Amino acid sequence: CQGISTLTLLSPQICDGVPKENSPFINNTDNDKGNSYDGTNMALFEEEMDSNPMVSSLLNKLANYTNLTQGAQEHEEADDDEGPKKKAVKSPQMGTFMGVYLPCLQNILGVILFLRLTWIVGTAGILESLAIVGLCCSCTMLTAISMSAIATNGVVPAGGSYYMISRSLGPEFGGAVGLCFYLGTTFAGSMYILGTIEILLTYIVPKAAIFVAERKEDEVDALLNNMRVYGTCCLALMAVVVFVGVKYVNKLALVFLACVILSILAIYAGVIKTIFEPPDFPVCMLGNRTLQNHNFDKCLKTEIIDNVTVTTKLWKLFCKGSELNATCNEYFANNNVTLVQGIPGLTSGVISENMWSEYGPLNMLVENKKLPSLGGSDPAKDIYMPYVVNDITTFFTLVLFCVLVYYYYGSNCIMAGSNRSGDLRDAQKSIPIGTILAIATTSVIYITCVVLFGACIEGVLLRDKFGDSVKGNLVIGTLSWPSPWVIVIGSFFSCCGAGLQSLTGAPRLLQAIARDGIVPFLQVFGHGKANGEPTWALLLTAAICEIGILIASLDSVAPILSMFFLMCYLFVNLACAVQTLLRTPNWRPRFKYYHWALSFLGMSLCLALMFISSWYYAIVAMAIASCIYKYIEYRGAEKEWARYALIRLEEAPPHTKNWRPQLLVLLNLDSDQGVKHPRLLSFTTQLKAGKGLTIVGNVLEGTYLTKETESKRAEQNIKASMSAERTKGFCHVVVSSNLRDGFSHLIQSAGLGGMKHNTVLMAWPGTWRQSNDPQSWRNFIETVRETTAAHQALLVAKNVDSFPTNQDRLGEGTIDVWWVVHDGGMLMLLPFLLRQHKVWRKCKMRIFTVAQMDDNSIQMKKDLQMFLYHLRLDAEVEVVEMCFSEIWPTAALYDYWHLSLFICHRLSGPYHTIQIQSITDESRSSIRRKNQGAAQSTNLSRQSSSAQLIHDRNTASHATINDKADTGPERVHMTWTKDKLFTERSRNRECNANVAVRDLFNMKPNQSNVRRMHTAVKLNEVVVNKSQGAHLVLLNMPGPPRNRGGDENYMEFLEVLLEGLNRVLLVRGGGREVITIYS
């Protein structure tokens, strides 16, 4: 019983050669709306077709639904007066692999893996490296779980993380974090481009440098100038590719990712090869110090050539001349040079040496403590010698910080899919699967690489960040097989691909923020090409990227940007936790593997990482976000979105996604002021689950001066019943001169300000037929009209005393929903809310709806499946064919009609209703048998004949009532006596009867009432057939007739509609949408 629902369509078809009629308001144009409704199948609902269209018309509109293009406005904010709409252009429809998995994989397998992971392992040791990588992977995975829950809670248009946070926590939070995340993603593009150029000029084509330093101290400036020139050219090329279309980015991504995957495979292949044949990458050691071998070929002080001892290039680096008696560095003179194998192999046992950390200060020499070393010169003075030294001070939090800087540049991959959610074919499916699989894949890769690097590579080589001891090769490249070039090319394309992904995602994020209008001066960047591509946003993104490239060194900016990423993750986790704890009605994620505790843990971990790694950068990032927040709060954020509170205390209606029934429960009391139907309070508790507003009301007839004591006693009794049934809410007892006015006052005035009810719950007047006072059912109908006029929803529970108590636990069964007309989604929302309570938790939900004659049932089935999928409601759609025939008065129909009229005139007394029911039942059976015989020769439908008989019973009553109204009593004297009263009453009764009998056989049944009763009978037959054993049946409640003369017929229609059903909840919408497919 996991909420799997069955939805059955009732499709009226042509039967017995009867042609189908025109069906206005369904699949029609505006010109059709004025046509009369001649159909007979849904006559009960025909008067409200303008406001409550048939379900088939709703689904026909949803048939053309596709996921929004980039930056498209949400459907609930669309303006109907925009004029002719542009022709829709389909954006690229990507699946999970292309749209999410590859961008995530490509982003995270980048800089840190190829350029920094070996240095992290050598510095922090294997154990602490595993702890650091584990922290980062855990934080990312927890955030991905929270993001998956939000992303599957409805359609996520373009904007990804910004859309999620703004719609969950408000536009201020969303805008502040969204803009920070945009800046971080944009500068990440700069970093990737600079990394691409660095690899190009350092490892691939060093001779391509335009600026060449003549002196060693000018090398840094020359490198920065080369980065600026080549970086600008690379940025321009990437921007053109992104401008042409995202599909080309994805095509290039395949090429780039193939290179990255080959690089990773080369690493694992190299590890396996070290078991049999370790690669030859010796490291030259002077004493226990590691030497840079850029300027010498042989790790020797002297060598013998032609029996002559000569000095080597290494000698010249430490001595003042090439002579053997030249003055040399003291440490160089006291220690020998040795060769150490840089890659000893997987079976060498070096893993035990690399298990622990080797932190040190800036310019500390990289040393192997196992090698002998004789004292010499001060190491602080030797930093200018060709030794490998630390370029920064290393300690645990700094290494963690470096991992965060590079890892979270790459692991913004968890937003790579959501940032382009508008390009995904099915974002609800693709984002969770693609993101979590990518993070799991990369986490395995990182963890295994940490262990394998520590088990294969010598410690001094691991701590050599730039590979100076192996002639400037990438350290990880020395391990790969068949060649270090595989890693070089792979890292180059990895940076290229990550740069393209950043330039693809950042403009879309900015476009979504601009189109929401929360920052006025950014609105120009909401425009784009016809297909939604964010052209202006791309230009701004390229300009900001160019700023980062012109700086050419992001060492100062990168930490702040890493904080932006962590802050974005923090608020994604916070949004998921808040939504889960508040349990808003619209919180129905299709992704089920989440919990508020996991989101809270992810949020806490993000906050801890921010302050542990760099508390001052964390404060700077929060200050920037706070400034943006306050700006949006005062200058933008004109739109009304739901915040973390359920409903703000204001007159404006809540957002559709946060709508929940705020109930006004109308109770009936007995003569002792006791609650007649306590199960109505039980049902309220099960429906509300303690959430939102509940007002329990009652009306006492009289004046407050005389009923004050009874009013207080009634209020105490109601509160006692509310406590017994665990109903949380307020009690409101009103004393009025009559019940109708009292209920009207409650509907109008209950509540205060924004804390007002939007739904009225009441019990069905089950004894209205037996009551001598017609005012009981008239009050009921007037209450229905009052709620409709007040634009409030109405729930009417029939047989409420048979509803389950709060202690009951319903077993496996169904909650059946009969969705006949569109009511704003109330029928969809109520079963979901009920199933949150433990009483109904094991019940499945089945949904039945009615199709129109002209509908394509097969296509309607597909449309409805898609609609329910986006509503996060599982549904199995079944089409049930039904036959509706024309109804015209037949001889049998008239016989029954006239008999009913005669009976209505002649019978009186308390058994009036019972006798009529007995006679009509007998007549119905007799005429049914008669028509069954006639059907064999005339080929008429037995079901239609039966329906016609039931129609005529009520139509006769209606005609008799009208006849009585037309033939009123004669005028009498104003002064009455007892005898004269009885004489006049008898004479008037005979006169009315004679007139009625004389015109009896000239009457014809009202065709509108016949069709209404036909609808009630046919629907009742199908509902009883399908849902008689259901735990609860929810059904659209037809509206009362506009002409009050037909009120009694209306009650009869409802009685026939509900006949044979145990627990029924009639539902009328309040005239607004209460459920949405959007997150």
Side-chain angles (χ1 to χ4, degrees), residues 973-1037:
H973 297 287
M974 295 299 296
T975 303
W976 289 83
T977 64
K978 185 176 181 180
D979 295 337
K980 185 178 293 186
L981 173 62
F982 285 107
T983 302
E984 287 293 323
R985 180 180 297 172
S986 177
R987 190 166 65 87
N988 289 335
R989 183 180 298 142
E990 292 177 359
C991 179
N992 292 340
N994 292 333
V995 172
V997 171
R998 183 174 64 247
D999 296 335
L1000 184 64
F1001 292 94
N1002 295 326
M1003 286 184 174
K1004 291 184 178 181
N1006 185 296
Q1007 288 299 309
S1008 176
N1009 288 334
V1010 171
R1011 290 188 289 107
R1012 284 179 171 86
M1013 183 56 74
H1014 179 69
T1015 300
V1017 171
K1018 296 301 293 183
L1019 273 181
N1020 175 260
E1021 289 178 358
V1022 178
V1023 172
V1024 170
N1025 182 41
K1026 295 288 184 181
S1027 303
Q1028 193 169 22
H1031 287 317
L1032 180 64
V1033 176
L1034 282 79
L1035 180 65
N1036 282 118
M1037 183 178 183

Side-chain angles (χ1 to χ4, degrees), residues 503-524:
L503 290 179
T504 301
R508 283 158 172 74
L509 183 59
L510 178 63
Q511 186 187 46
I513 298 174
R515 288 197 170 184
D516 270 339
I518 63 173
V519 182
F521 67 84
L522 290 179
Q523 291 185 4
V524 65

